[in-house]
Amino acid sequence: MTSQRAELRTPVMADVARLAGVSHQTVSRVVNGRTNLRPETRDRVEQAIRQLGYRPNTAARALVTKRSATIGVIGSKSGYWGPSTVHRTIQAAGREAGYFVSSANLQDLTRDELVDAISHLRDQSVEGIVLIAATDEALDVARAQEDLGIPVVVVEGDRHQTRWTVGVDQCEGAVLGTRHLLDLGHTDVVHLSGPPSWTEARARLLGYQTAMYAAGLRPAPHVTGDWSARSGYAAGLEIARRRDVTAAFCANDQMALGLLRALHEAGRRVPDDVSVVGFDDIPEAAYLIPPLTTVRQDFGAVGRRAIEILQCAIRGDSDDVVPDRLIAPELVVRASSAALPEGTPS
């Protein structure tokens, strides 16, 4: 019985030191992230940690290092594919980097909710916060925290909005999607935009306008949605009545889904009568009828980059060593976009 109890005992730092053939202090230096160690010694200790399944006592480590090893993540309860996927990847990347991740999911992302969430996380002694909410109010709140000693990294894809930011290059993604339609011969391209209070929506609108002007064309009056398929459907009913429109660039895939339904009900065939391009590349995009051409965002890369930048902010690194804050988007061409048929007025 005694030997069985010993086998079930949780491994401690002394066990790691014994297996690795090093001192207790050396194991402590590895666990606490010290750099003054030979690489072969660090590798031996890390191998022993993995072999034994040793887990450091975070409370004790915090007393030694004066760090909580905790970060906060603030997101929304919207359930939209992009923000929810980024949230999951940030949590995973944070844990892989050795942090405990404390999350706050807000209902409406109002200023009061954001301020309360940041205050709650500060009470938990977090070392930094990642904010997944690219609204004007969220940016205002993030900028207000810059002098309070806790860095806030905002996921929104515009390096000019706040010092610490990360995301896919939204403007470039919109240029890719719009230019694809223009290269297919379409000149009457309408944009279905997201809500104007979102910086990502404004960046995608800017990208659409940039591509149109670069082609010597005047952007058509855009239609505004709220990111939902329902709003895309409502906008689609309006777009379907505009017989001059031969192509639509949508600010996200959910709205594109609603647009496809509205065009179908109106007898406008996709892509024969109207070509459609979305943004995000949700998992269902390849299985819509027709499969949706869209701009892919690498949300996994965004989550990992957010943690890298947060670590730079926590260390107080200068801007010249911070990884690139913007990640390149990718155009994924499927069957919802096609060349303008010969003889079609343009």
Side-chain angles (χ1 to χ4, degrees):
M1 180 67 69
T2 302
S3 62
Q4 182 180 9
R5 190 178 295 116
E7 290 175 2
L8 297 175
R9 180 175 62 83
T10 300
V12 296
M13 193 175 290
D15 299 322
V16 176
R18 190 178 303 111
L19 180 60
V22 299
S23 68
H24 181 281
Q25 290 80 3
T26 298
V27 176
S28 177
R29 287 199 291 271
V30 172
V31 168
N32 292 317
R34 303 291 176 79
T35 58
N36 56 336
L37 289 163
R38 289 197 299 263
E40 57 270 22
T41 301
R42 180 181 299 278
D43 291 344
R44 197 160 69 246
V45 172
E46 289 176 346
Q47 182 178 353
I49 288 173
R50 289 192 296 271
Q51 183 175 335
L52 293 172
Y54 169 70
R55 298 182 65 85
N57 183 319
T58 54
R61 183 169 61 180
L63 288 174
V64 173
T65 63
K66 309 301 182 184
R67 295 176 51 199
S68 68
T70 301
I71 60 173
V73 182
I74 300 175
S76 72
K77 294 181 180 179
S78 67
Y80 290 133
W81 166 250
S84 60
T85 304
V86 170
H87 201 146
R88 290 194 299 272
T89 58
I90 288 173
Q91 288 178 313
R95 288 191 294 267
E96 289 175 6
Y99 292 102
F100 174 78
V101 182
S102 181
S103 293
N105 292 306
L106 310 184
Q107 188 64 49
D108 300 314
L109 296 175
T110 63
R111 182 183 300 273
D112 288 343
E113 277 193 327
L114 290 164
V115 170
D116 287 346
I118 290 176
S119 178
H120 173 71
L121 291 171
R122 286 173 61 88
D123 289 344
Q124 297 181 35
S125 299
V126 297
E127 296 184 40
I129 295 171
V130 181
L131 177 56
I132 312 169
T135 63
D136 290 334
E137 286 196 325
L139 290 170
D140 287 343
V141 171
R143 284 191 286 261
Q145 306 301 312
E146 292 180 356
D147 297 328
L148 298 181
I150 295 182
V152 177
V153 174
V154 182
V155 179
E156 50 83 38
D158 185 343
R159 63 165 60 92
H160 303 296
Q161 295 287 347
T162 59
R163 180 185 179 192
W164 303 111
T165 188
V166 63
V168 170
D169 190 332
Q170 306 295 320
C171 187
E172 177 58 25
V175 168
L176 286 176
T178 306
R179 186 187 296 148
H180 168 67
L181 293 169
L182 297 173
D183 289 344
L184 291 173
H186 298 277
T187 55
D188 294 303
V189 181
V190 69
H191 178 48
L192 173 48
S193 75
S197 61
W198 285 70
T199 61
E200 291 174 328
R202 294 199 299 270
R204 293 172 197 177
L205 173 59
L206 176 61
Y208 157 76
Q209 293 170 335
T210 299
M212 293 291 285
Y213 284 126
L217 298 170
R218 188 180 187 85
H222 65 279
V223 184
T224 303
D226 64 7
W227 301 126
S228 70
R230 176 189 53 78
S231 72
Y233 175 78
L237 295 177
E238 177 184 340
I239 292 171
R241 291 192 292 268
R242 292 162 61 169
R243 309 304 293 189
D244 57 321
V245 170
T246 65
F249 167 59
C250 302
N252 78 339
D253 288 348
Q254 278 94 347
M255 292 193 297
L257 188 158
L259 172 64
L260 290 175
R261 170 68 180 272
L263 291 173
H264 173 75
E265 290 183 359
R268 304 290 301 278
R269 297 168 301 168
V270 177
D272 303 74
D273 300 321
V274 181
S275 286
V276 176
V277 173
F279 203 108
D280 280 344
D281 196 25
I282 61 175
E284 298 82 7
Y287 303 97
L288 299 176
I289 302 175
L292 182 66
T293 296
T294 187
V295 177
R296 176 179 294 161
Q297 300 196 74
D298 188 342
F299 295 117
V302 171
R304 293 187 294 273
R305 188 70 54 82
I307 294 301
E308 292 175 4
I309 290 176
L310 185 62
Q311 289 178 302
C312 290
I314 291 170
R315 291 193 299 263
D317 291 344
S318 58
D319 288 348
D320 59 343
V321 300
V322 177
D324 190 357
R325 294 165 171 83
L326 296 187
I327 295 167
E330 176 188 358
L331 179 69
V332 180
V333 178
R334 299 191 180 103
S336 69
S337 58
L340 190 68
E342 291 185 13
T344 303
S346 60

